[in-house]
Amino acid sequence: MPNAKRKLILILGMHRSGTSVLTHMIHRLGVPLGVTLRATPDNPDGYFENENLVIVQESLLHALGRTWHSTEPMPDAWRETDIANEALEIMTKLVAYEFQNTDVFAFKDPRTCLLLPLWAHLIESLDLDARYVVMTRNPHEVAASLAARDGFTQEKSLALWQLHMNAIHAHLALVWQTRADQGKTAQSEATVIAYDALLDDPLRTLHKLSVALELSPASEEQLRSAASVVKRDMRHHTIAK
């Protein structure tokens, strides 16, 4: 398509919801994630997060008196602060850099859920085609995972889950309303992936993503490689239905 916009794929979801494995799969379909990716001992396969952007987001939250596990809502009018605008300037430059040699780029960091108003401005200023992938998981499974890794109480973890999901829903509602006001459709801009469905049928999930995100056709080898990211031992902390 001539003059097609560059495509930004934002993978959204609460921590411990499976966003890392989903992003890994998208990456194996040929979608760039950037030049610097981070990993830590508790996730040796990697978080598949662009380290430079994560550092900026983490620093901004800290400057606003928050952390990734703060259960308090974001401060009032935080988006209008000088520190938010400074972070936005840096993030815009980083994302523009990642698009130098590609027309598609994916980014995942659960902190993004809380900072979506900043990303809205970035998307508009760079004139990007934003696509959202929302990863969902049973909140009680998320809480069990956070208890095992971080020692969080169930009350704290469920509050965190609610905070992140509310932020996602609020942003998407605003996107859809804006698009509707412009006489455009927006449903295709958000794709919801359930953690259980991803583990049960990774190939079906890959097909759903490829169609929704309008990715270049993947080879059989790419599909097999992406599906192989899903391992049996990923079904931790399952809550009986």
Side-chain angles (χ1 to χ4, degrees):
M1 179 184 299
N3 302 319
K5 289 185 178 182
R6 296 167 296 176
K7 187 183 303 177
L8 173 67
I9 301 170
L10 287 180
I11 296 97
L12 305 175
M14 173 58 191
H15 301 262
R16 313 309 291 174
S17 290
T19 54
S20 293
V21 63
L22 181 65
T23 307
H24 191 178
M25 293 169 74
I26 290 174
H27 185 45
R28 289 204 176 183
L29 290 180
V31 177
L33 303 179
V35 295
T36 55
L37 300 180
R38 65 189 289 266
T40 63
D42 67 278
N43 197 344
D45 288 336
Y47 284 100
F48 297 91
E49 295 172 347
N50 185 293
E51 186 171 25
N52 292 330
L53 284 167
V54 171
I55 288 171
V56 177
Q57 297 205 129
E58 196 167 47
S59 298
L60 174 57
L61 286 177
H62 181 74
L64 292 170
R66 299 292 186 268
T67 66
W68 71 265
H69 56 85
S70 296
T71 56
E72 302 92 343
M74 294 289 284
D76 292 339
W78 69 267
R79 171 61 193 87
E80 308 307 321
T81 63
D82 289 341
I83 52 177
N85 287 324
E86 290 169 6
L88 173 61
E89 184 177 355
I90 297 171
M91 289 165 58
T92 301
K93 290 178 179 177
L94 288 172
V95 173
Y97 175 81
E98 296 297 352
F99 273 111
Q100 284 186 116
N101 299 306
T102 182
D103 59 1
V104 59
F105 170 65
F107 177 62
K108 186 275 293 186
D109 174 14
R111 298 168 187 81
T112 303
C113 303
L114 306 177
L115 300 173
L116 282 167
L118 219 58
W119 282 90
H121 190 100
L122 184 156
I123 290 162
E124 182 179 3
S125 65
L126 291 179
D127 194 25
L128 301 175
D129 173 12
R131 304 295 179 94
Y132 303 94
V133 180
V134 181
M135 191 75 198
T136 64
R137 187 181 184 185
N138 185 309
H140 293 281
E141 293 181 4
V142 170
S145 182
L146 286 169
R149 190 189 71 171
D150 300 296
F152 292 171
T153 64
Q154 184 179 70
E155 181 181 21
K156 176 182 175 75
S157 295
L158 293 179
L160 283 170
W161 180 88
Q162 191 69 63
L163 185 69
H164 284 69
M165 299 310 294
N166 284 349
I168 294 170
H169 292 156
H171 177 74
L172 292 179
L174 182 60
V175 169
W176 292 337
Q177 185 59 56
T178 300
R179 297 279 288 178
D181 291 344
Q182 297 171 345
K184 303 173 183 177
T185 58
Q187 296 298 329
S188 62
E189 293 179 349
T191 304
V192 178
I193 302 294
Y195 185 67
D196 284 344
L198 182 148
L199 298 188
D200 290 339
D201 197 340
L203 282 173
R204 182 175 182 142
T205 298
L206 288 168
H207 177 71
K208 179 179 180 179
L209 284 169
S210 295
V211 172
L213 300 177
E214 298 180 296
L215 300 178
S216 300
S219 66
E220 286 298 322
E221 183 179 357
Q222 278 182 307
L223 288 170
R224 286 195 299 270
S225 174
S228 72
V229 169
V230 175
K231 305 289 194 304
R232 288 184 179 180
D233 62 0
M234 287 179 173
R235 202 179 290 276
H236 299 304
H237 314 295
T238 301
I239 304 298
K241 296 180 175 62

